[in-house]
Amino acid sequence: MKTVLCNGCFDLFHYGHLLHLQAARNMGDRLVVSITADAHVNKKGRPVIPAHERAAIVGALKCVDEAIIVTGMLDALQRVRPDIVAKGRDYKNLDAADRRFCEDNNIEMRFTQTPKFSSTEILNEARRRITV
C-alpha cells in the first residue's frame, strides 16, 4: 500500500486545491494531507481560516484519507513517512533538510500537473471588488 503526502496551507480552499489533491490521490492507495499550523504560515495576514477548520474541510474530501496539522514539511515527513510526496508543479524546490529526509528514506517526489490557482490572488480580487 503506497501512502501519498501533500503538504500546504490550504487557506481559502479552492478548485485548484481540489484538482491537486485528486491528482495526488491517484498516485497511491492512501492520501494524507498535512495542513500548516497557523503560527507557521509565512504569508502576511494569513491564514484567514484557522488550521483546525482547514483540516476539517480537507479531511472531509472523498479523496483524502487523513488530514493532520503540522509545523511544516519536515514535521509532516517525519510523522507520516510516506512513499510519495506530491507537490504542485510550481513547487519544484524542497528545502534541503526536506530533500535529504526524502532521499535518506526512499521517498519519491512527484508533481501534479494541475492548473495553478492562488488563494492570495483570490483574496486580492475579492478585496478589489469590495473597494470598488
Side-chain angles (χ1 to χ4, degrees):
M1 182 156 100
K2 294 227 182 233
T3 297
V4 180
L5 171 68
C6 284
N7 173 256
C9 179
F10 297 98
D11 197 18
L12 293 180
F13 194 85
H14 55 66
Y15 186 58
H17 289 139
L18 178 63
L19 293 174
H20 172 65
L21 294 177
Q22 288 173 328
R25 177 64 174 80
N26 288 331
M27 294 177 182
D29 305 301
R30 180 172 181 260
L31 177 61
V32 178
V33 180
S34 55
I35 308 292
T36 306
D38 297 346
H40 296 275
V41 174
N42 60 0
K43 294 179 182 178
K44 184 178 167 114
R46 304 284 291 283
V48 175
I49 310 295
H52 69 279
E53 293 179 17
R54 291 181 279 129
I57 290 166
V58 170
L61 297 171
K62 184 176 167 181
C63 61
V64 174
D65 295 292
E66 183 179 4
I68 61 173
I69 299 171
V70 298
T71 59
M73 181 62 141
L74 188 56
D75 181 25
L77 288 166
Q78 291 169 337
R79 287 175 55 187
V80 176
R81 304 262 176 180
D83 300 289
I84 299 164
V85 172
K87 303 287 284 175
R89 59 189 166 126
D90 53 327
Y91 291 99
K92 295 272 184 192
N93 296 319
L94 265 187
D95 179 80
D98 301 341
R99 183 173 299 285
R100 189 169 36 259
F101 186 90
C102 288
E103 290 168 357
D104 291 348
N105 292 279
N106 297 318
I107 299 170
E108 180 183 356
M109 188 184 310
R110 294 189 191 171
F111 299 92
T112 61
Q113 298 303 312
T114 56
K116 169 79 171 117
F117 289 81
S118 167
S119 294
T120 300
E121 289 176 16
I122 292 168
L123 270 174
N124 289 341
E125 179 61 25
R127 288 181 183 122
R128 278 192 292 278
R129 291 181 186 198
I130 289 170
T131 59
V132 172

